[in-house]
Amino acid sequence: MSRSRKDYQNLLDELDEAIRQDQVYVCRDILAHLEPAVSESEFVKRYFEENENKLETLKTDIEKVTDLLKQLNQDDAWTKATEKQGIEVLFQNPKDSPFILTKTVVTFKAQKDELVESFIRLLSFFSEVELMPRWFPDKVLKSNETVHQASKFCKVVEGMIKLPFPVSAIIGPREVIFEGKGYDMSERKALVISCVPVKEGDVLDGGNYIVPAPPPNNIRIEMYGVYYFELVPEGISLKIMQQTDLKSNIIPSALLNWLAKGKAPFDFIKNLRKEMAKYEGSEWEKRVKANPDMYEDIRQRLEATVKNL
């Protein structure tokens, strides 16, 4: 049975809203209904032609998230480094880099009636990027600022880093700039944030932002991160993938790799646990209340799924 123009318009409206909300798998499901109609409906065909770039970006995001979920949820390609205090750390040795890629897995315990609230609280420690220096391990992150807001869930962030003495005296201050994008999968009880380093001259957000040179006397490093949040019966499952290149010939990669699969992930989670315990009345709580367009939308969609746990 063929669809009417009104049916297609409803689907297109749903697709536009899902794109605005960065709900990649909702978009994928809607596209599965619309793509066969391109050859049948001039109305749908015109939409696809007029929004070609936007739809190509969407398809790229769908593929990207699908690949990330495979990496996050399959353990056969990872080597376990250690496990203690409810924190498991695994690693891979990428073929194109001397620096390991780590995966940290931990569950923040919560009662069923606290699951959604705990999810929102934990998410805020990553989405409120300007506040990250308050809990980042060893106070190495001196500032972290949004320099460009591309969409509701996409921003370009610049961080200023000063490593502990005496390392700071040897290699000097560092700067990092990355594109952070969140993908809402609340229909799957999950959300993932991808942070990809960018380089000077990179053109982002359809030409609306060009990555500048690092500040004087700073060397730009590369920090890659993926943060996956999922509601599970026991609480909030958090899976983190990270890789860092300090752009230094002085500090051996073996030392950085040793820290990456040992002290660094444990300090990261320890600080998160500490701040989560002090959430009520905190600046994070104030930020969440002040931004219902993001947090309340996610909260409402998650609440609809909790009963199925």
Side-chain angles (χ1 to χ4, degrees):
M1 182 178 177
S2 62
R3 297 177 185 266
S4 67
R5 175 168 174 153
K6 183 178 179 180
D7 292 333
Y8 286 131
Q9 183 63 64
N10 289 338
L11 282 172
L12 292 172
D13 289 344
E14 290 177 18
L15 178 62
D16 284 336
E17 178 61 17
I19 292 174
R20 191 183 79 82
Q21 299 288 351
D22 286 308
Q23 294 177 286
V24 286
Y25 285 132
V26 172
C27 291
R28 185 189 64 178
D29 294 343
I30 297 172
L31 283 174
H33 293 289
L34 285 171
E35 287 180 325
V38 172
S39 60
E40 302 171 0
S41 167
E42 284 296 323
F43 178 63
V44 175
K45 180 181 179 181
R46 184 166 64 253
Y47 174 91
F48 272 68
E49 291 173 347
E50 292 174 353
N51 295 276
E52 182 178 2
N53 291 337
K54 180 170 72 173
L55 293 175
E56 283 302 313
T57 300
L58 171 61
K59 292 176 182 178
T60 299
D61 281 348
I62 293 171
E63 291 178 4
K64 174 182 177 180
V65 171
T66 300
D67 289 342
L68 288 178
L69 293 184
K70 287 180 180 178
Q71 273 189 292
L72 286 161
N73 294 321
Q74 294 179 355
D75 289 340
D76 54 349
W78 298 85
T79 300
K80 180 182 284 192
T82 186
E83 183 174 7
K84 61 182 180 179
Q85 301 169 6
I87 305 167
E88 181 182 25
V89 180
L90 307 98
F91 69 95
Q92 291 180 354
N93 292 294
K95 295 179 180 179
D96 58 351
S97 172
F99 303 103
I100 61 171
L101 174 68
T102 61
K103 180 169 72 169
T104 304
V105 182
V106 63
T107 297
F108 286 76
K109 303 292 185 180
Q111 299 297 318
K112 186 172 183 179
D113 60 350
E114 300 172 342
L115 282 175
V116 174
E117 176 61 24
S118 297
F119 188 105
I120 296 297
R121 292 182 179 192
L122 184 58
L123 173 63
S124 71
F125 286 99
F126 294 85
S127 57
E128 299 300 326
V129 296
E130 290 81 7
L131 300 180
M132 288 189 78
R134 298 190 182 190
W135 64 268
F136 205 85
D138 299 322
K139 298 182 179 180
V140 300
L141 186 59
K142 298 306 179 184
S143 68
N144 208 42
E145 302 294 333
T146 299
V147 294
H148 179 73
Q149 186 86 39
S151 68
K152 180 177 178 179
F153 289 107
C154 182
K155 58 180 70 173
V156 182
V157 178
E158 181 183 44
M160 305 303 296
I161 296 168
K162 186 176 181 180
L163 297 169
F165 185 84
V167 178
S168 59
I170 298 172
I171 69 170
R174 266 25 187 184
E175 178 255 21
V176 63
I177 190 164
F178 61 86
E179 184 178 46
K181 189 164 186 179
Y183 300 96
D184 181 358
M185 297 181 291
S186 47
E187 75 285 352
R188 296 178 171 219
K189 310 177 188 67
L191 185 145
V192 64
I193 299 173
S194 168
C195 298
V196 179
V198 292
K199 298 178 181 180
E200 179 182 351
D202 283 355
V203 179
L204 308 176
D205 187 22
N208 291 313
Y209 184 78
I210 299 176
V211 178
N217 303 317
N218 279 263
I219 293 177
R220 179 164 291 161
I221 71 172
E222 293 184 0
M223 293 178 67
Y224 168 77
V226 178
Y227 310 92
Y228 177 72
F229 311 78
E230 182 180 5
L231 288 176
V232 296
E234 302 80 21
I236 316 305
S237 173
L238 175 63
K239 297 180 180 180
I240 300 172
M241 291 196 302
Q242 291 178 317
Q243 184 183 39
T244 301
D245 179 356
L246 288 177
K247 300 299 181 180
S248 170
N249 293 324
I250 299 174
I251 302 177
S253 60
L255 175 59
L256 291 177
N257 289 339
W258 178 74
L259 291 170
K261 60 185 178 182
K263 181 179 186 300
F266 285 96
D267 285 354
F268 194 88
I269 300 303
K270 180 184 71 175
N271 287 11
L272 268 178
R273 284 172 167 167
K274 181 180 177 181
E275 294 301 327
M276 280 280 285
K278 302 186 298 181
Y279 178 85
E280 293 182 5
S282 70
E283 186 62 29
W284 286 274
E285 184 180 49
K286 296 174 184 177
R287 295 277 186 108
V288 168
K289 290 180 177 178
N291 190 3
D293 182 51
M294 182 171 79
Y295 294 109
E296 285 306 309
D297 277 359
I298 295 172
R299 186 194 303 274
Q300 290 173 15
R301 286 194 288 271
L302 286 173
E303 285 176 345
T305 69
V306 170
K307 57 187 177 183
N308 298 322
L309 279 175

